[in-house]
């Protein structure tokens, strides 16, 4: 194949994505030229990619994005149009031989070591170590940071939700519409799945990453039906045979029976809503999951709003939309007595009655309904109300499974809401989480940096008055030391030339900067944190598939003590350096001290 | 061409992007099937896309993302692999004819009206109005929201930075590494340019959108040089002729002269830094812009940190990295006297001396340096210090332009930093802004929603106890009414059947929900806010090119009164409904009131 043709094929392949060498900061290119021009083509360097602070006021981070980094290395080349663009953009004084140099650049001389994707990681411990030609290693900086920063932030955010929600609750990612761009949405789906979510509403993410996709219908579906006349067909085929059931009739009959059980008049329920639910059940008889808060909450509200001048007994101003602010369930009874029991109970009256009517009729046709979604109001209270309703119907109809119908909640939920709901008590089986999850609202960026730590075999230290910003110089290895109970005790950075710590042998672990802080540790297990993933122009350790990375997150989190993972005032996990590395750092520091100046 | 071939061509074209029909919530597809199954294929609907609250505690928003919405409509079709995926994902009970229906779906029957991209917009006024078949219009929801939400949020964020920075300051977007994914970074570059930024560091954004790209070098470039021996070539070709200058000698000579002027010993400056700056200048003699804070600040810090035990006079704990927290320049003199003048002045001593030496030597070779970048420390103070230095050198060398060298600042800058720096006084010409800009840290999501307002000619109203969530029903037009002084007075929503307001004629403008709030307005100018952009399967109004959208942002913002735009407690801009629409809303509201229930 001619070189032109090869380039065409490559350019077409690249159109799959925007992760390419030009997805970088311009100064990487100008530096590359300055390095090239000053004869540094054969200089070799080591860069560490790491972060300095865990996100979300937590004490751990999940490392993610490695697979995408490897794909980036694999496809790293400047296309003809890239070179053309750079020629137009860099000054005319740039020598043409530089473009020839760029044209031939690949990552064949780069060696990339990394921690396993999905692992819990901590400040200062490099997630990636990039070794190779200075110019190429420098050119990778921005893209690697972009790929690791958001992926790790999202995976961490999702893992926190997973942890605080507990094992018995499903978590769905519902955030595409609020994500930071289409790809922000896709990344959010992918990395929240890795972090422990059970599925996403994002269909493309489902297709691309083989993630379970979930979803029911919107309020607009319900409001698009006005009356029972809007129902297209009254029938439904029975599950077990080809017999057509008169579904509408069955629903209306079951609504009569249930309205007695629930002590609600069928007149109180919206027929438009019933028409919508019937239509939805006809479309998905085996997967009937219905949104039940379209009408009742709203009806109640309309009155409160519209007849504003006519009553001043206080409850029109009561905001039942405040489930997410942590109001405890104890308050409900006081509101109930202030408003009158029946007024308050009206919440979900239409939706629950209609849902139960359709679900019972479905059962008579041989199908089991799945459950309901609540998207507004006091989620703790409403979920308990719905569960009580399901139990009552289950008992009356002698259908034990009915008591266990799934209750999904999905209104502006964040980490605090979940903790507060747990505190209050609720009957929610599944949370659908959007904005707070996908934009990482509490902290929308992770601050990974990429620092030069060695050049031509000579260590480099970045000094700063802010000790947190001092880099740990030289080519290093990282080990995780475990105690006898299986918990991770400490991460230890050593110079690459040092022998690995050994099980059962005491190891001196030192604080990297504070002379007085040191301790001996006798590990029961030692895990070498780095594997070489890329070397000699190819992936040499295959990144794990998504499902295994997802498992890795949970197994890795299990090795952390509970107090490190808790929401409030978690204990910091310790990262240490070996005695050898400590002395190495501080000798270098002294060498860099200025001459003849007083401090 | 056969249909298969056509599909192949289409699938290849699509690989350019991930904006495609499956980039949506699964419930859009399940609803589509339920609509299809219940005979609603020919139902027509009107949806409004709007937001309820301006972001960033402000009182305006910039509308952006329209061009991408139009591209989405243009390329809307389900590919064979999409259909295959949906068949696997939807229940087996879904009828096969539905997939045939999806296969033929396009946006040919959709009509999209929109406000001009780049306009200032306000809560409740629809940004997009989508009319057409219910199923298709519903299927567009999530993707349109994704495309408008982040684009508008970013453009608004950038426009706010532009406004608060003032006209005389350049703004560069430097945020790729902290963006929410690769495409989050690209969108940030694009929409911050639209919002008024002058350029980006993101090279791919430059290539794709023709945005100016900017950048210099990183600290790692400086630290990769250790001594003057690291310089590859001592010479530089003179700008005006082919004569080779002994550039190193010229730099060292000028450093001697400047060190006298600045009263700094050349020994105090780092030779590694000088080697780096010389190399960079040789690479970019006409574009010499240097990072000048690699060494001095750090040296100062090292001492403070490292000899911690040996002094307790207070200044070792002084954090000069706090430029962003608003400390006023008045404090500097007190710190100066506490620390001793010379100690404090050491900040930037190495960098400024080395920069000036290289810049003067460049001048002797016929090139003008561009300026410096400061990436740490007290930006107000350091920029003033740098400016004073440049002025002193300008005077001594009789080079007036030297006093006006560009000073770029770039350390974790946000809206508050800029306001605080302005308050303190500074000499910064250009801000490079990253994380806070590109992730919209203050508010990382805009809450646009997409609501059904009409079905088969019948209005739909979404009622909520939270009056802010009540939708304004029906097919509407929006007008902006201007006063005699050219300022926008109010946005007015009317029913589409009403005649447009006329210049010089009084118009009754009503608060949409509060009976008592109403006023007559006599507009001097009336702007109809909507144009039809998509109709009969094609773009019928071409979206404006990026540069014009960018101009539109500034001209549109100019029509807003200053008090609406200010940072602190801005005045809300008013959005009203016509008397006709008011009555229409409230009649509908009454019709939806429940029967037989007390409030």
């Amino acid at each position: 194949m001619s070189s032109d043709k090869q380039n065409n094929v490559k350019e077409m392949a690249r159109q799959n994505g925007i992760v390419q060498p030009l997805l970088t900061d311009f100064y990487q290119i100008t530096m590359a030229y300055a390095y090239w021009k000053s004869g540094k083509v054969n200089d070799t360097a080591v860069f560490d990619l790491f972060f300095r602070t865990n996100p979300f006021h937590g004490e751990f981070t999940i490392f993610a994005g490695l697979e995408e980094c490897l794909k980036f290395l694999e496809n790293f080349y400047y296309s003809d149009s890239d070179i053309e663009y750079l020629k137009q953009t860099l000054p005319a004084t740039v020598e043409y031989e530089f473009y020839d140099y760029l044209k031939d650049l690949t990552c064949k001389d780069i060696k990339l070591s990394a921690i396993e994707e999905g692992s819990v990681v901590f400040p200062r411990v490099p997630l990636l170590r990039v070794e190779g030609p200075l110019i190429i290693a420098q050119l990778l900086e921005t893209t690697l940071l972009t790929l690791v920063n958001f992926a790790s932030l999202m995976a961490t955010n999702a893992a926190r939700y997973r942890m605080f929600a507990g094992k018995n609750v499903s978590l769905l990612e519902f955030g595409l519409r609020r994500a930071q761009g289409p790809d922000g949405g896709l990344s959010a789906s992918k990395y929240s799945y890795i972090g422990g979510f059970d599925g996403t509403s994002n269909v493309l993410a489902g297709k691309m990453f083989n993630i379970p996709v979930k979803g029911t219908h919107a309020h607009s579906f319900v409001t698009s039906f006005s009356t029972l006349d809007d129902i297209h067909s009254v029938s439904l085929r029975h599950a077990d045979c080809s017999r057509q059931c008169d579904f509408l009739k069955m629903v209306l009959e079951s609504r009569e029976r249930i309205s007695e059980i629930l002590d609600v008049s069928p007149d109180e329920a919206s027929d438009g809503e019933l028409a919508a639910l019937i239509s939805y059940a006809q479309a998905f008889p085996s997967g009937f999951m219905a949104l039940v808060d379209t009408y009742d909450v709203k009806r109640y509200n309309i009155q409160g709003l519209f007849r504003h001048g006519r009553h001043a007994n206080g409850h029109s101003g009561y905001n039942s939309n405040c489930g997410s602010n942590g109001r405890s369930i104890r308050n409900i009874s006081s509101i109930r007595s202030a408003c009158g029991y029946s007024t308050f109970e009206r919440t979900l009256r239409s939706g629950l009655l209609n849902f139960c009517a359709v679900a019972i009729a479905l059962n008579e046709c041989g199908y089991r309904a799945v459950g309901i979604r609540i998207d507004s109001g006091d989620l703790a209270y409403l979920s308990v109300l719905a569960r009580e309703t399901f139990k009552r119907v289950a008992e009356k109809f002698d259908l034990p499974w009915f008591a266990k119908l799934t209750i999904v909640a999905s209104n502006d939920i964040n980490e605090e809401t979940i903790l507060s709901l747990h505190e209050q008590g609720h009957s929610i089986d599944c949370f659908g989480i959007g904005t707070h999850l996908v934009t990482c609202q509490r902290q929308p960026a992770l601050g990974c940096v990429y620092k030069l730590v060695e050049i031509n075999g000579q260590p480099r230290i970045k000094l700063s008055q802010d000790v947190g910003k001092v880099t740990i110089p030289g080519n290093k290895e990282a080990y995780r030391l475990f105690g006898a109970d299986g918990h991770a005790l400490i991460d230890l950075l050593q110079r690459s030339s040092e022998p690995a710590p050994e099980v059962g042998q005491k190891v001196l672990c030192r604080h990297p900067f504070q002379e007085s802080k040191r301790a001996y540790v006798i590990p029961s297990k030692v895990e070498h944190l780095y594997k070489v993933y890329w070397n000699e122009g190819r992936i040499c350790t295959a990144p794990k598939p998504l499902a295994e990375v997802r498992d890795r997150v949970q197994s890795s989190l299990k090795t952390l003590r509970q107090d490190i993972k808790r929401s409030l005032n978690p204990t910091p996990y310790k990262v240490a350096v070996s005695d050898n590395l400590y002395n190495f750092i501080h000798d270098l520091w002294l060498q860099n001290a200025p001459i003849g100046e007083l401090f």
Side-chain angles (χ1 to χ4, degrees), chain A:
Chain A
M1 202 164 9
S2 76
S3 153
D4 265 13
K5 263 196 188 157
Q6 271 182 337
N7 275 339
N8 278 344
V9 170
K10 277 200 210 161
E11 289 225 19
M12 275 172 57
R14 174 188 288 176
Q15 291 184 351
N16 278 313
I18 51 174
V19 180
Q20 42 179 285
L22 287 201
L23 187 77
T24 190
D25 290 309
F26 188 56
Y27 79 178
Q28 310 290 5
I29 314 272
T30 55
M31 279 194 278
Y33 178 61
Y35 280 140
W36 179 85
K37 179 120 174 91
S38 57
K40 287 177 170 285
V41 171
N42 295 318
D43 283 19
T44 58
V46 181
F47 285 88
D48 284 348
L49 188 151
F50 62 98
F51 59 91
R52 298 183 181 117
T53 319
N54 290 300
F56 314 122
H57 306 295
E59 290 296 346
F60 71 87
T61 299
I62 302 293
F63 167 51
L66 176 60
E67 189 190 6
E68 294 189 65
C69 291
L70 293 172
K71 277 191 198 152
F72 168 60
L73 296 188
E74 212 165 18
N75 294 309
F76 186 98
Y77 78 97
Y78 293 92
S79 72
D80 292 346
S81 72
D82 292 344
I83 300 282
E84 202 41 56
Y85 176 71
L86 291 177
K87 282 182 186 168
Q88 293 160 22
T89 308
L90 285 163
T93 52
V94 167
E95 295 172 33
Y96 263 54
E97 289 77 8
F98 175 64
Y99 298 113
D100 295 337
Y101 168 78
L102 283 187
K103 212 162 171 172
D104 291 337
L105 267 194
T106 67
C107 288
K108 71 179 166 48
D109 299 318
I110 289 289
K111 182 173 163 186
L112 178 106
S113 309
I115 295 180
E116 189 179 337
E117 189 162 8
S119 303
V120 286
V121 289
F122 304 97
R124 297 187 177 287
V125 179
L127 309 175
L128 303 181
R129 184 182 60 208
V130 178
E131 302 165 77
L134 169 66
I135 296 180
I136 306 172
Q138 178 71 61
L139 282 169
L140 302 177
E141 174 179 17
T142 307
T143 323
L144 293 179
L145 285 171
T146 304
L147 294 174
V148 170
N149 265 329
F150 186 55
S152 300
L153 186 76
M154 261 310 308
T156 308
N157 200 21
R160 291 176 64 87
Y161 275 98
R162 174 76 281 165
M163 207 165 62
F164 297 129
K167 281 179 198 161
N168 301 325
V169 175
S170 290
L171 293 175
L172 301 177
E173 178 271 308
F174 277 0
L176 174 58
R177 63 188 62 195
R178 302 287 168 85
Q180 297 208 338
D183 167 79
L186 280 175
S187 300
S189 306
K190 179 178 177 180
Y191 292 104
S192 60
Y193 185 65
I194 281 178
F197 271 57
D198 300 290
T200 176
S201 64
N202 184 334
V203 189
L204 188 58
K207 184 186 176 194
M208 287 173 67
F209 309 122
N210 196 26
I211 301 173
V213 298
K214 303 281 178 183
T216 52
H217 60 81
H219 288 119
S220 63
F221 183 82
V222 177
T223 55
S224 76
F225 291 79
S226 299
T227 70
L228 291 175
D229 294 338
D230 289 339
I231 293 172
H232 182 59
S233 155
V234 298
S235 66
L236 178 66
R237 193 180 300 267
H238 194 284
D240 300 332
C241 58
S242 59
R243 178 166 60 89
Q244 287 287 350
C245 309
D246 187 340
F247 191 55
L248 175 60
K249 191 169 156 235
M250 292 161 78
V251 169
L252 290 174
E253 281 171 9
S254 72
R255 186 159 81 163
E256 286 293 334
R257 290 168 64 195
I258 295 164
S259 70
E260 280 170 37
I261 296 166
L262 303 183
D263 193 22
V264 181
S265 157
D267 296 343
E268 289 184 52
S270 158
D271 282 350
E273 182 182 55
L274 187 65
L277 299 196
I278 287 171
S279 300
Y280 200 75
Q282 287 170 321
F284 300 102
S286 307
F288 182 58
M289 159 74 73
L291 190 58
V292 291
D293 61 355
T294 307
Y295 279 111
D296 255 337
V297 177
K298 277 85 198 179
R299 280 202 179 184
Y300 175 67
N301 306 334
I302 302 157
Q303 294 184 299
L305 277 172
F306 200 65
R307 302 185 183 166
H308 192 267
R310 288 175 45 198
H311 65 130
N313 64 2
H315 81 264
S316 76
Y318 164 61
N319 178 8
S320 78
N321 240 326
C322 56
S324 60
N325 70 1
R327 185 163 53 75
S328 107
I329 218 155
R330 282 188 300 280
N331 295 341
I332 289 172
S333 54
S334 58
I335 290 155
R336 190 177 288 169
S337 56
C339 302
Y341 195 88
S342 71
T343 304
F344 193 81
E345 284 270 301
R346 195 157 60 230
T347 308
L348 290 194
R349 244 180 141 104
S350 174
L352 274 184
L353 176 57
N354 283 333
F355 167 79
C356 292
V358 175
I360 290 295
L362 273 176
N363 180 63
E364 288 163 4
C365 295
Y367 303 97
R368 276 196 189 176
V370 175
I372 60 165
R373 180 160 72 95
I374 308 172
D375 191 39
S376 59
D378 184 313
L379 299 175
Y381 173 72
L382 294 180
S383 66
V384 170
L385 181 74
R387 181 67 66 211
E388 281 168 12
T389 304
F390 294 156
K391 283 181 179 163
R392 230 185 300 172
V393 175
E395 195 186 324
K396 294 282 179 183
F397 284 81
D398 195 20
L399 296 170
W401 61 268
F402 208 96
K404 291 174 186 159
L405 284 166
T406 299
I407 300 176
V408 181
S410 61
N411 182 27
D412 207 23
I413 289 165
N414 60 22
E415 210 176 294
E416 288 71 39
T417 318
I418 292 177
L419 291 171
S420 159
L421 285 167
H422 281 2
E423 201 182 78
Q424 294 171 66
H426 65 83
S427 295
I428 297 162
D429 302 296
C430 175
F431 290 107
I433 307 180
T435 315
H436 293 280
L437 174 70
V438 304
T439 66
C440 301
Q441 195 141 18
R442 274 178 87 177
Q443 181 182 324
L446 181 64
C448 278
V449 293
Y450 186 85
K451 294 293 172 190
L452 179 68
V453 292
E454 190 178 290
I455 185 163
N456 297 327
Q458 297 300 309
R460 280 292 180 277
I461 185 167
K462 186 188 175 273
L463 298 168
S464 169
Q465 78 190 350
D466 176 358
V467 75
K469 288 194 169 182
V470 173
T471 60
I472 300 181
N475 199 329
K476 302 173 291 293
E477 297 296 333
Y479 300 90
R480 186 160 295 169
L481 311 186
F482 293 82
D485 63 354
H487 280 137
L489 297 173
I490 197 163
D491 279 10
L492 178 69
L493 293 171
Q494 295 193 158
R495 298 187 65 189
S496 293
S497 50
E498 294 182 69
E502 283 176 38
V503 168
Q505 302 290 313
K506 72 177 181 180
V507 187
L508 181 58
C509 295
R510 303 194 60 168
H511 187 286
F513 305 113
Q514 291 182 32
E515 173 88 34
S516 60
K517 290 193 175 174
R518 53 180 93 185
Y520 282 106
V521 171
I522 301 177
S524 297
K525 190 181 121 192
V526 173
E527 191 185 356
H528 182 195
L529 292 180
Y530 299 132
K531 281 200 186 79
V532 180
Y533 281 87
W534 174 270
N535 201 10
E536 296 175 349
R538 57 181 198 85
I539 293 171
C540 52
T541 305
K544 297 248 171 88
L546 207 71
E548 288 182 35
V549 177
R550 187 167 183 266
D551 291 344
R552 169 74 183 170
V553 172
Q554 297 310 318
S555 64
S556 189
L557 274 170
K558 269 202 198 101
T559 65
L560 285 198
R561 284 199 325 266
Q562 195 51 44
D563 58 311
I564 296 168
K565 294 181 283 190
R566 71 186 168 210
S567 174
L568 192 67
N569 299 326
T571 311
Y573 179 83
K574 289 194 176 48
V575 173
V577 297
S578 66
D579 194 50
N580 187 326
L581 180 53
Y582 180 90
N583 292 322
F584 182 68
I585 297 169
H586 291 264
D587 285 350
L588 263 175
W589 215 334
L590 266 183
Q591 284 168 32
N592 281 273
I595 299 161
E597 294 188 358
L598 293 177
F599 43 81

